[in-house]
Each structure stands twice: as C-alpha cells, then as structure tokens.
Amino acid sequence: MTDTQTTPNLSPRQAVVLSRVLGSGFVTIEALAEEFGVSAQTVRRDIITLSEKGLLQRFHGGAGPVGAAESARLDHAAKRDVAKPEKHLVGARAAAIIPDGASVFLDVGTTIECCAARLAQRKGFRIFTTSIRTALLFDPEAHEVNVIGGRLSGRDGSLTGEEVILRLNDLRIDVALIACSAVDDTERVMDFNTSKIAVKKAAMNAAAASYLLCTTSKFGRTALATIAPMSRFQSIITEVETS
Amino acid sequence: MTDTQTTPNLSPRQAVVLSRVLGSGFVTIEALAEEFGVSAQTVRRDIITLSEKGLLQRFHGGAGPVGAAESARLDHAAKRDVAKPEKHLVGARAAAIIPDGASVFLDVGTTIECCAARLAQRKGFRIFTTSIRTALLFDPEAHEVNVIGGRLSGRDGSLTGEEVILRLNDLRIDVALIACSAVDDTERVMDFNTSKIAVKKAAMNAAAASYLLCTTSKFGRTALATIAPMSRFQSIITEVETS
DNA sequence: TCTTTCGTGTAAGATTTCTTCCATCAAATG
DNA sequence: CATTTGATGGAAGAAATCTTACACGAAAGA
C-alpha cells in the first residue's frame, strides 16, 4: 500500500529543504541543519525521504536538484568514449580560428562543447546551435545565442527533426563546427544517427565554411551513414599537428 | 593588488569543469574524473585552483557555483533563491490535473520547473517549451520533448523572438501552463518582460486550455505589461485551497 | 645534456560523512 | 490511563572523501 505518488505529503521543513535545494542548486546537510536548528541526522532523513520520491538527488555531504548533476553524471558523461584530453585540444584549436563576431553554428557533442567553453570566454559571437547543453555554456548578454528549435532526441541535449532543417535552410552563417562518429578509409565523414546527420548536412549548406572537429580516434572507423566527404570541409581539426 | 582577475589562465579542462559546474549547479568529483578520464586527485586539484580564483565553491565530494545560497551575480539564481515551498505545491497541483498523454506547453519559470519535475516522473507527454532548462528535466525516451527554437534571452534558459511566435502560431496543443510576475487588483495577469509576454500570449492562443501557475504572493502586485485577464485562464493554480 | 618545472598518478593517514541501532519524547489511539 | 506511532537526537562502526607526501614522465630552459 504505497500511496507515494498521489500524495505529495511533505512536512513544512521538507518543503523548505526542497526549495533550498532547487533554488541554490546544492545545499550541504550542515547548512540545512543549522538553518532549521535540528541535527544533521534529521536533515539527512528529510533528504532521504525527498530523494525516494524523486524530488532531489542525494550527494555525499548534501543534496542537489535531480536534473542537475545527473545530467553531467551518468547520461551525458555516458560511459561511451568519454571526453578525453584530446577533445579539449581540438576544441581549443577550433576556437582559435574563429574570428571575433562571427556567426557560428555549433553541432552537438562533447568536443563541440569543449570549443564552446572557449568561445564563451570571448564576446560578441552570433551562436546558432541545436544543442541545448551547448547553448547553456554561453552568457546571453555577451553573445547572441540562437537555439534552433526541434525535438529533443537524447540526453545529450540534441534537437533534430524537420523544423531544424527548415530553419537551417533559411540561415546564412559564417562557420559551421561539425562533429562526427567516424571517418572511414575512403575519407567519408560518417555518423550513426540519421536525424543528426540531416541536421549536420543542413548546417553545412547554410555555412560559408565548415570545419570538422574530431579526434584521431575516429579515423579508420565506419558508421551508419555518410555526412559528407572530407573534401567538403574547409579543414579537419584534430588533436595532432597537421602542419 | 590581486592580479588574479586579469588573467583567467585556465587549462582547457579547467574551463570545461567550470562550465559543467555553472551549467549543472553541482558536479561530483567522481563524475568529472570519469568524464575526463583522469584521476579524482587531478580533478580535485583543478577544483582547488578554480576555487582559489573564486570561480566556484568546493564541497565535500564535488563543487558548485560560487555563492549558491547568497548569489548576487545571477539574476536567475537570485530569483530561484526566492523559491518558496509554495512553488512546489503549485507545481504538484498543476501536474495533477494534466491527463496522461496530453500535449502540454510549459512556460519559463521556477514554478513551471517544479511542475515539470513532476510530469517528468510519468510517461508519454508531448511537451512543448521555450525553456531549455525545463526541457532538460525530461527524458526524451519517455516523452516527446519539443523545444521551440529562438533566441536565448537570459540565464533562466528562456527562448524568445519572432521564430518562437511563428512556430507557436502553427501549433495546436491541449494545455498551456503559464507563469507570471504579477496579478494586479483589476485581475490582469502581468509580467515585466515584453518578449516573454508575446510568447505567453502565443502559447495561450495555441492551447485549448490555459492554466496560470502562481503563488499568492503575486497577487495585488503590478508589472510592466499585461499578458491577459484572469478570465482568460481555465483556472488559476495557487498554493492555497480554492475548493 | 642536464636541470628545473609542471602536471599527473598513487598511497597512507586524517577527517568527514554515512549507516545502523537505540533511547527519548510527544501526540495520537485504544 | 496505557499503548502505539512518529519524529528526533545520540553514539559506534563503516564508508567515502580529503590531505599530505612522494614518484614518475614530459616539456621547457640552462
């Protein structure tokens, strides 16, 4: 007889705990115990209760919102090819060739995010992206950040679908930074997700110049379908010197 | 004579760590170590470096944005800090009246996010939203999540602009959940941001039924411009019993 | 070439937090 | 009035994290 879902039966203090957590992003047990004048044990029990209802997430020493760290934790960090140092090198190199004030399309992917983190430290870019995670890296007051709307297709925050394509077809931008899953032996740039491939193609058509960002680990592999031949890119940016 | 500020001399990885922390609100050392493929010790050193520069705050087990509690730099964080338990009550009540499988527009705002967190625990909703923060609360495999594309207009993750309006005009959805800044004495529902008001209006036009989510603290106040009269809403959902 | 510097990984001890169990107290219930 | 239920605080052992210290290798400089 667990009637857990139907009744959001929270004590007044638990409700405040929840608001503190959702409001501040992260709160320590100690701080909460002090605020309420109760023992850490009691706060801990409140947090356990709330986490069992899925209203927040427990951490060692405190608690945070469910959507917060979880996103960067299990799903996004996603057991797969987690971001290696190479990706940061690729991102830094790509950011270095983008002139100030440029209009830039940013693809979905951790490598692109590394690049975005660099660009975000500068000012005045016109950003177009289909990744809501990438969008959040920028300060809207320092840059013009445009999110190409569409259907959310994964925990990576990628937007895909017809709307995205239609919108991209209307755009004319300076540079497109594209990520990929593989570059096969015949120099075809490939990916596994056909929806994302369509977005990448549309972005490349809308851009005066396209750059491929990928680590060398992608070379010699193959994937589901082709994005474009390597020759279609202005340059391929990897973690090794191409000189 | 602290020359610390002038040169944000961060390694690529440190920059991404910072972006993760600022983006997610809280990130564990373990998660970061896994993401970058380095030891926890290295991540800890990065975090120590960043915290010494005042760029983030250390916690036992991870790191979070500086001044998570008394943040004065981000208006969004400041707004969230005001989040009272009432908002969760409002969110829970609103979620309770949404039937399974409904197509729902979710406005921008912390109250809406409270509601979204509830909806995300169920399955099969068709979500339309202009808040990329709200979008991230849902699992794309459990729901159809559509982000209405536009220009990012604030740290709250809100998308506004003509594109948003045009897209909303083409939609036909079941329910719109709207937030507001004030409800004045003549029962006009108001807000401060005209761009966001336009979005709210368009969403209400696209929806068969609209619900206003607001705490009673909004009543008797005034704001910049009017969204709609109270009578335009199917129901006003607050934290008090309306019986 | 040698040396220095920097970033990194590893290990042991110290510290903090967590879990579990039990005792207390108040309110509700018989 | 006695009992039960629930919330709370405390203590001991377990688990996780932090600190400190040292070693290694790469890169920069003498």
Side-chain angles (χ1 to χ4, degrees):
Chain A
M1 251 103 104
T2 56
D3 56 338
T4 54
Q5 306 294 25
T6 53
T7 55
N9 243 344
L10 302 181
S11 73
R13 191 184 55 228
Q14 287 173 340
V16 176
V17 167
L18 186 57
S19 70
R20 288 284 180 279
V21 167
L22 295 179
S24 299
F26 181 82
V27 183
T28 64
I29 301 249
E30 188 182 3
L32 291 170
E34 187 177 354
E35 174 176 352
F36 297 119
V38 298
S39 72
Q41 269 324 359
T42 300
V43 173
R44 199 167 285 124
R45 275 186 269 253
D46 284 340
I47 288 177
I48 290 173
T49 301
L50 292 169
S51 71
E52 284 174 346
K53 296 188 178 187
L55 298 174
L56 53 76
Q57 182 175 3
R58 290 190 72 189
F59 289 110
H60 207 277
V66 280
E70 177 195 358
S71 56
R73 186 182 186 148
L74 287 177
D75 309 295
H76 188 49
K79 313 310 177 192
R80 39 169 188 166
D81 262 330
V82 281
K84 299 251 195 297
E86 295 93 78
K87 297 196 174 183
H88 307 292
L89 256 179
V90 175
R93 291 191 176 177
I97 64 174
I98 309 293
D100 281 324
S103 58
V104 187
F105 172 83
L106 296 176
D107 196 8
V108 180
T110 50
T111 304
I112 303 291
E113 286 180 37
C114 292
C115 179
R118 294 299 191 111
L119 295 177
Q121 293 178 356
R122 290 154 68 182
K123 283 182 181 296
F125 286 113
R126 304 185 62 197
I127 303 296
F128 295 84
T129 184
T130 53
S131 165
I132 57 182
R133 289 192 182 279
T134 299
L136 280 175
L137 294 177
F138 290 89
D139 178 0
E141 295 180 5
H143 306 274
E144 176 186 327
V145 182
N146 298 280
V147 175
I148 314 290
R151 178 166 176 178
L152 190 63
S153 67
R155 284 291 193 182
D156 58 0
S158 63
L159 302 174
T160 59
E162 288 184 4
E163 289 176 54
V164 176
I165 308 299
L166 292 174
R167 173 73 179 132
L168 281 172
N169 287 343
D170 287 339
L171 287 178
R172 193 62 195 163
I173 54 184
D174 299 330
V175 186
L177 301 185
I178 307 293
C180 72
S181 296
V183 178
D184 76 0
D185 294 329
T186 63
E187 296 200 337
R188 286 185 305 182
V189 179
M190 310 180 76
D191 204 301
F192 289 104
N193 188 313
T194 53
S195 300
K196 292 183 184 175
I197 288 175
V199 173
K200 294 172 199 287
K201 283 183 175 178
M204 291 174 66
N205 282 334
S210 299
Y211 292 87
L212 180 69
L213 276 65
C214 71
T215 56
T216 52
S217 60
K218 308 287 190 187
F219 288 113
R221 298 170 52 182
T222 187
L224 180 63
T226 301
I227 300 170
M230 266 180 67
S231 59
R232 179 70 178 72
F233 293 91
Q234 199 82 9
S235 171
I236 315 293
I237 302 171
T238 70
E239 77 277 16
V240 300
E241 291 286 351
T242 58
S243 57
Chain B
M1 269 86 78
T2 55
D3 59 337
T4 55
Q5 307 296 26
T6 53
T7 54
N9 239 347
L10 304 180
S11 73
R13 189 183 57 227
Q14 287 173 341
V16 176
V17 166
L18 186 58
S19 69
R20 285 280 182 281
V21 168
L22 295 179
S24 298
F26 181 81
V27 183
T28 64
I29 296 208
E30 187 184 2
L32 290 171
E34 187 180 352
E35 174 174 352
F36 296 123
V38 298
S39 72
Q41 203 60 280
T42 299
V43 173
R44 200 168 284 123
R45 276 187 269 251
D46 284 340
I47 289 177
I48 290 173
T49 300
L50 292 169
S51 71
E52 283 174 348
K53 297 189 177 187
L55 297 174
L56 52 75
Q57 185 175 359
R58 288 190 73 187
F59 288 109
H60 206 278
V66 60
E70 65 275 314
S71 143
R73 37 165 273 156
L74 292 182
D75 49 349
H76 183 55
K79 202 172 185 179
R80 301 179 80 91
D81 190 47
V82 188
K84 299 241 191 299
E86 295 92 79
K87 295 195 175 184
H88 306 289
L89 260 178
V90 175
R93 289 190 178 179
I97 64 175
I98 308 294
D100 282 323
S103 58
V104 187
F105 173 83
L106 295 175
D107 196 8
V108 180
T110 51
T111 304
I112 302 291
E113 287 178 35
C114 292
C115 180
R118 295 300 188 112
L119 295 178
Q121 293 178 359
R122 291 154 68 182
K123 283 182 182 296
F125 286 113
R126 303 185 61 196
I127 303 297
F128 294 83
T129 184
T130 53
S131 165
I132 57 181
R133 288 191 185 276
T134 298
L136 281 176
L137 295 177
F138 290 90
D139 177 359
E141 296 180 3
H143 306 274
E144 176 186 326
V145 182
N146 298 281
V147 175
I148 313 291
R151 179 167 174 177
L152 191 62
S153 67
R155 285 290 192 182
D156 59 359
S158 62
L159 301 174
T160 59
E162 288 185 4
E163 288 176 53
V164 176
I165 308 299
L166 291 174
R167 174 69 180 134
L168 282 172
N169 287 344
D170 287 339
L171 287 178
R172 194 63 195 163
I173 55 184
D174 298 330
V175 186
L177 301 185
I178 307 294
C180 72
S181 295
V183 179
D184 76 0
D185 294 329
T186 63
E187 296 200 336
R188 285 186 305 181
V189 179
M190 309 181 75
D191 204 300
F192 289 103
N193 187 311
T194 52
S195 300
K196 292 182 183 176
I197 288 176
V199 173
K200 295 172 200 286
K201 284 182 176 177
M204 292 173 66
N205 282 334
S210 298
Y211 292 88
L212 180 68
L213 276 65
C214 74
T215 56
T216 51
S217 61
K218 309 288 191 187
F219 289 114
R221 297 169 54 182
T222 187
L224 180 62
T226 300
I227 300 170
M230 267 181 67
S231 59
R232 180 68 178 75
F233 293 91
Q234 198 82 10
S235 172
I236 315 295
I237 301 172
T238 70
E239 76 278 16
V240 299
E241 291 285 351
T242 58
S243 60

